Amino acid sequence: MRCLHYLGLVAVLHLFLVQISYGQESVKQQNGVQQTDIGKLSSGGKLKPVQANMDIRKYTLNLDVDIANKFIKGNTTVNLQLKNASDTILLDLIQHYAIESIKVDGKSVAFDHKEEKVFIKAASNQFSAGNHSVFIAYGGNPPEAVRPPWLGGFTWSKDRSGNDWVSINIQKEGGRMYFPCKDHPSDEPNEGVEMNITVPAGLLVAGPGLLQKTVTKKNKSTFSWKTNYTISNYCVLFNIGKYRVIKDSYTTINNHIVPIEYYILEEDSAQAKRVIEAKKRDSKILEKYFGEYPWYKEKIGIAAVPNSGMEHQTMITFDNKFIFNKVGGQDYSANLFHEYAHEWWANKVTNKDWAHMWIQEGIGTYAEALAMYELGGQEEYNKIIAAHKRGIRYRKPLVGGEELSEDETYAGNDIYTKGSFFMHSLRYVLGDEVFLKTLKQLATDEAYTYDNMVTTTDVEQLFSKAAGYSLKPFFDFHLRTTQLIEVSVKETGYQQYQIKPLNYFMDLPFEITLNGRATRMILGKDGISVKSNTVPMVDAAGYYLKKVVIQ
C-alpha cells in the first residue's frame, strides 16, 4: 500500500498528508449533483449494525468511461446475504453521483442518497433474511486524485505520446469513491468481482483476475474482467492506457504455471523484459518465505500508472520510472517488490479492521529485508533494518484500538518501519527456526488467509503457540504503546555490574557483551549480576527498540 521506497537505506518516507486543504464546505455542488469533500473520507471505522447484518457475495460493475468529460456512467449489481430480515439495505457511495434507479431482486425500490450512503428501503414488508440482488444505475464525475495513491481518486493524464492514461487509487477513501459497496475491510465479496469497462477504442483496460473477452463496436471497446477470489474494495478497480500487453509465465514453488501479463505503455515496451525478469526473481524470494504465489489460478499482473505503485490484487501497479538499484549485483526496485509482497500481506492475509493495518504493511515491509538478505546477504539485511529503525517516529501506537478508520491508523510511517522492526525483534526472541516457520504458517494456513481475515490477537496467539508461552506482553508493549525498552547498567563493585530492565513486562533474551564477547542471556524482573573488565554492552547488534541507562 502506498509504499515507502527503501533503496537499501530509506530515501524518502512518504508521510500521510491529510492536512492538505480541500475547502471549507463539506459538500459542494457541481452540475446539480452534490460533491463530497474527499479529504475527509476514510474507509473503515465502526461498522453500523445494518451493515454488519449484510454479507457481500459479489460485485458486478458495468461502466462506460467518458475520458474527454471525466465522467462515468453505468450500473453496479451487489449480490449480498442478509443474516436477519431488515427494512433497510445500506450501501456506501459518495455524493458525486446521481443515482437514476435502484432495484432489489428486480423490483424498483425507494432510496435516499445522503452523507455518502445509500439507504434502500423495503416497499412494505422487510427484506427477508437470505440472498438479494441490488441493482444501482448511476453516473457522475469521479473525484480527481490530489496526491495519488495517498490521496486518491481518478487520475486523468496523458502519456509522453499524448495518449489518454487513467489510473484509480482508492485505498484511503474506499470503493465508494466510484461504485456502491459495503465499504469496510471486514467484508470482501466471497464470490469475486466482474467488471465490464467501456473505453474509447484503441485504449486497453487492465483489471483484476482474468480477461474474459473484449468487444469493440464502432469507436468503443468493452473489456470484461473477472476474479473468483475474495478481493478488497480498494483493489476493485481498473487502469486505462495505450498499453501493450507483454506476456510470459512463471512456474510456482508447487509447479503451477501462472501467466504473467505486463500492461506497459507502448512507448516503454523495451523495458518490459527487465521488469518481468525481476518479477520472476522476486516471486522465488517471496515464495521461499511465504509460500506459493496466492493467485496462481489467475495471473501475475503489472500495470503502468502515472503515480507511485499500489498492491492491486493480480494487477499491481508500477510507477513506470524503471529505476533499479543494484543489490548483490542484481536489479532491485523497492516500488516493484513492496507492492508485490502485498499479494501475500494485504491481499491474501488481510486485516479485518484497519486498526490492525500494521500486519499487512509491517510484514510487507519486513519482506523487503528478507529480499535484501537473499540478494546481498546479512550486511544488506542489516542496512535496511537499520534504515527502518531510523524511520520510526513513535507518534502513536501501531494498534490504537478497534474499529478504526484508515486515517486513524495510517497517520505516519510507523506501520511500515516499526512494523518491520517489530518482526525483526520477534525473530530474535523466537529464533529463526520457530519464527520463519510460524511466519510461513500465517501466510499459508487457511485459518488466516483469503476469506478468513486477521487481527493482532490472531497473530499473537499463533506465535505464542509456536513459542510455547504467551507473547501477549511483547505484542502489547511494542504494538499498543510507543515506549522503548529501558535497561540500566549499574556498577555495583570492582568489575561488577547489575543489568536490569527498568520497565519490565516479561522475561526477554538479550545479547550481553562482556569482556568483548557477546552472550545471549535472559533478563527477568530482577535483572542479572555480571563480571566484566569493561562496561557491559546490552543488545549491541540492535535487535530491540531500547534505551540503555549507564549508572
Side-chain angles (χ1 to χ4, degrees):
M1 173 193 113
R2 299 182 281 183
C3 77
L4 300 177
H5 298 274
Y6 293 109
L7 306 178
L9 299 174
V10 175
V12 179
L13 287 173
H14 294 294
L15 298 180
F16 191 55
L17 300 180
V18 296
Q19 294 83 5
I20 291 177
S21 173
Y22 293 85
Q24 298 299 313
E25 296 181 340
S26 62
V27 178
K28 302 178 290 182
Q29 291 280 335
Q30 180 177 321
N31 299 325
V33 178
Q34 289 184 327
Q35 302 288 293
T36 302
D37 186 343
I38 301 305
K40 296 182 179 180
L41 288 183
S42 182
S43 70
K46 188 172 181 60
L47 189 61
K48 294 183 180 299
V50 69
Q51 285 196 317
N53 185 45
M54 302 188 318
D55 176 24
I56 300 298
R57 307 305 299 176
K58 183 178 180 180
Y59 293 114
T60 302
L61 282 67
N62 301 290
L63 295 173
D64 190 316
V65 183
D66 181 349
I67 296 176
N69 294 302
K70 299 180 180 179
F71 189 88
I72 64 173
K73 183 178 176 62
N75 58 75
T76 292
T77 297
V78 184
N79 295 105
L80 56 85
Q81 290 179 350
L82 295 181
K83 300 172 187 176
N84 301 297
S86 174
D87 61 2
T88 302
I89 292 174
L90 178 59
L91 296 173
D92 300 297
L93 181 68
I94 62 171
Q95 304 299 131
H96 277 57
Y97 305 99
I99 296 178
E100 297 177 4
S101 64
I102 297 181
K103 295 180 180 180
V104 176
D105 302 327
K107 297 180 180 180
S108 296
V109 293
F111 63 90
D112 193 5
H113 186 198
K114 62 182 181 180
E115 298 176 349
E116 334 319 331
K117 298 188 179 299
V118 184
F119 297 84
I120 304 169
K121 300 293 186 178
S124 54
N125 297 324
Q126 292 184 318
F127 297 115
S128 63
N131 295 329
H132 295 279
S133 176
V134 181
F135 172 91
I136 302 179
Y138 63 102
N141 296 97
E144 293 194 39
V146 175
R147 187 174 178 260
W150 297 274
L151 299 173
F154 277 54
T155 298
W156 310 91
S157 62
K158 302 280 187 180
D159 65 20
R160 297 189 305 278
S161 300
N163 301 301
D164 288 316
W165 195 14
V166 182
S167 70
I168 305 174
N169 292 279
I170 53 174
Q171 186 179 48
K172 165 182 145 51
E173 301 83 1
R176 59 185 163 176
M177 287 281 274
Y178 86 102
F179 70 98
C181 58
K182 177 183 174 181
D183 209 349
H184 196 275
S186 64
D187 196 356
E188 297 181 350
N190 306 75
E191 298 162 21
V193 171
E194 291 187 26
M195 306 178 74
N196 302 293
I197 309 301
T198 301
V199 297
L203 298 176
L204 272 65
V205 175
L210 293 174
L211 183 63
Q212 305 298 301
K213 63 180 179 179
T214 303
V215 176
T216 299
K217 293 182 179 179
K218 295 183 179 180
N219 61 344
K220 292 185 176 183
S221 296
T222 300
F223 294 81
S224 298
W225 287 92
K226 181 180 181 181
T227 177
N228 292 315
Y229 289 107
T230 56
I231 184 171
S232 299
N233 281 350
Y234 71 87
C235 291
V236 179
L237 47 71
F238 53 89
N239 295 285
I240 303 167
K242 187 71 172 178
Y243 291 125
R244 179 179 175 188
V245 185
I246 306 298
K247 297 185 178 182
D248 206 320
S249 64
Y250 172 73
T251 302
T252 72
I253 196 171
N254 292 340
N255 292 315
H256 291 109
I257 298 175
V258 56
I260 297 175
E261 296 181 0
Y262 186 4
Y263 280 69
I264 188 171
L265 295 181
E266 287 186 345
E267 59 197 19
D268 293 324
S269 56
Q271 301 283 347
K273 182 177 180 180
R274 188 181 185 190
V275 173
I276 288 174
E277 289 306 311
K279 194 78 164 177
K280 290 181 179 179
R281 188 270 325 283
D282 293 347
S283 298
K284 292 179 181 178
I285 293 172
L286 290 161
E287 286 191 319
K288 174 181 177 179
Y289 289 100
F290 309 134
E292 186 176 30
Y293 175 69
W295 321 106
Y296 66 86
K297 294 180 182 179
E298 294 187 345
K299 71 177 184 302
I300 296 172
I302 319 167
V305 291
N307 48 256
S308 184
M310 274 290 293
E311 71 260 25
H312 301 143
Q313 188 169 304
T314 73
M315 188 64 85
I316 71 159
T317 57
F318 186 44
D319 65 7
N320 222 48
K321 294 185 174 65
F322 309 107
I323 298 172
F324 292 87
N325 270 14
K326 289 292 183 181
V327 181
Q330 299 185 57
D331 284 344
Y332 178 78
S333 164
N335 178 263
L336 190 66
F337 186 90
H338 181 94
E339 303 312 330
Y340 193 34
H342 277 311
E343 292 284 37
W344 285 260
W345 303 105
N347 298 343
K348 185 183 183 186
V349 179
T350 306
N351 44 255
K352 188 175 183 179
D353 176 357
W354 287 124
H356 308 285
M357 193 176 184
W358 76 270
I359 297 169
Q360 61 188 56
E361 291 300 344
I363 303 179
T365 302
Y366 185 69
E368 297 180 53
L370 297 175
M372 291 298 99
Y373 178 79
E374 292 296 320
L375 297 176
Q378 190 65 44
E379 182 178 359
E380 290 297 331
Y381 173 92
N382 292 343
K383 279 184 182 180
I384 196 169
I385 286 295
H388 294 172
K389 182 179 180 181
R390 290 195 300 275
I392 301 171
R393 296 295 178 262
Y394 304 99
R395 292 194 179 104
K396 62 191 303 184
L398 295 192
V399 182
E402 300 293 332
E403 295 186 295
L404 301 181
S405 71
E406 206 263 10
D407 274 358
E408 290 172 309
T409 295
Y410 188 77
N413 58 295
D414 283 10
I415 58 169
Y416 303 91
T417 53
K418 189 179 180 184
S420 172
F421 198 89
F422 171 73
M423 299 306 291
H424 173 67
S425 298
L426 183 61
R427 181 177 181 177
Y428 175 73
V429 171
L430 297 179
D432 278 10
E433 182 177 356
V434 172
F435 173 81
L436 294 175
K437 180 180 179 180
T438 309
L439 184 59
K440 181 175 281 190
Q441 182 182 353
L442 178 59
T444 55
D445 192 320
E446 66 179 12
Y448 309 105
T449 57
Y450 299 115
D451 285 356
N452 297 314
M453 300 177 185
V454 298
T455 66
T456 299
T457 297
D458 295 324
V459 178
E460 175 263 304
Q461 290 179 349
L462 174 65
F463 277 96
S464 291
K465 183 178 180 181
Y469 58 92
S470 175
L471 289 164
K472 188 176 188 303
F474 188 81
F475 274 69
D476 287 348
F477 183 87
H478 289 88
L479 301 178
R480 292 186 167 90
T481 82
T482 59
Q483 298 181 62
L484 298 173
I485 297 174
E486 295 186 17
V487 180
S488 73
V489 178
K490 183 178 181 179
E491 187 175 10
T492 57
Y494 178 66
Q495 296 186 352
Q496 298 287 332
Y497 297 87
Q498 183 190 47
I499 304 174
K500 183 178 180 180
L502 297 178
N503 52 353
Y504 173 84
F505 56 88
M506 67 179 290
D507 293 358
L508 285 176
F510 274 84
E511 189 176 83
I512 309 295
T513 305
L514 306 172
N515 302 316
R517 181 178 179 179
T519 303
R520 184 179 169 106
M521 301 180 179
I522 300 296
L523 282 189
K525 185 176 183 179
D526 298 325
I528 57 174
S529 295
V530 298
K531 183 176 181 179
S532 178
N533 56 23
T534 59
V535 177
M537 296 174 62
V538 178
D539 188 36
Y543 294 109
Y544 294 118
L545 300 174
K546 67 185 185 301
K547 177 181 179 182
V548 178
V549 180
I550 307 295
Q551 297 180 329

